[in-house]
Amino acid sequence: MANAVGMIELNSIARGIEVCDFMIKAAQVNVLRASTVCPGKYLVVIGGETGAVEASMKDGLKRSGAHAVDTLFIPNINDQVIPAIYMTNPVGTLGAVGVLEFYSIASAITAADAAVKAANITLIEIRMGCAIGGKGMVTFTGDVGAVRAAVAAAENVSELLVGSTVIPRPSPKLLESLL
């Protein structure tokens, strides 16, 4: 599993695809996601050893030029973050639900990492840009106190927060819809 994650969001799809290729060639990294996101941008998310991600990001930013609109680099990423990006994190017991919404995808990933490091929660999903107008969204579950602590920790490190909520006793139908 990767111990670092890097991300570059570009305002040009063509340049984004080219930058992704340069980033892959610059260092031994895994492409966690490379795709278009709303509204007409391109997102490259990579993972790997810290030094490799750092080198890849440096080359990607150099080649992005003025097309880079947002970036992210998190060394020592929590083990739940990458599976939450893929929505493959195993979710055992469902409890209270926390939701964080951001204007920025990078802010959502940063907040998810902070939340899961701050409290005993399980990340459900980190949604990145698609079908939500280019925003980022994080959902997670745990006991009410842990979910409240995770939301507070995420809010403390977050930029571009749209809103957050804690649902102490969600309907079973809501929980089904989140999985």
Side-chain angles (χ1 to χ4, degrees), residues 7-8 19 23 56-66 68 70-72:
M7 183 205 83
I8 301 176
V19 165
M23 291 173 74
S56 181
M57 287 291 296
K58 182 177 179 181
D59 192 58
L61 283 169
K62 179 177 82 174
R63 302 207 186 245
S64 296
D70 205 356
T71 64
L72 161 76

Side-chain angles (χ1 to χ4, degrees), residues 68-114:
V69 295
D70 205 356
T71 64
L72 161 76
F73 175 71
I74 302 176
N76 303 315
I77 193 99
N78 183 278
D79 290 342
Q80 289 191 54
V81 174
I82 293 170
I85 288 171
Y86 292 122
M87 204 177 161
T88 60
N89 205 29
V91 179
T93 305
L94 293 167
V97 170
V99 181
L100 301 161
E101 178 185 0
F102 300 90
Y103 287 113
S104 158
I105 295 167
S107 294
I109 297 170
T110 302
D113 187 59

Side-chain angles (χ1 to χ4, degrees), residues 80 88-95 121-124 141-142 175 179:
Q80 289 191 54
T88 60
N89 205 29
V91 179
T93 305
L94 293 167
I121 59 159
T122 301
L123 293 175
I124 298 171
T141 188
L175 293 173
L179 297 178

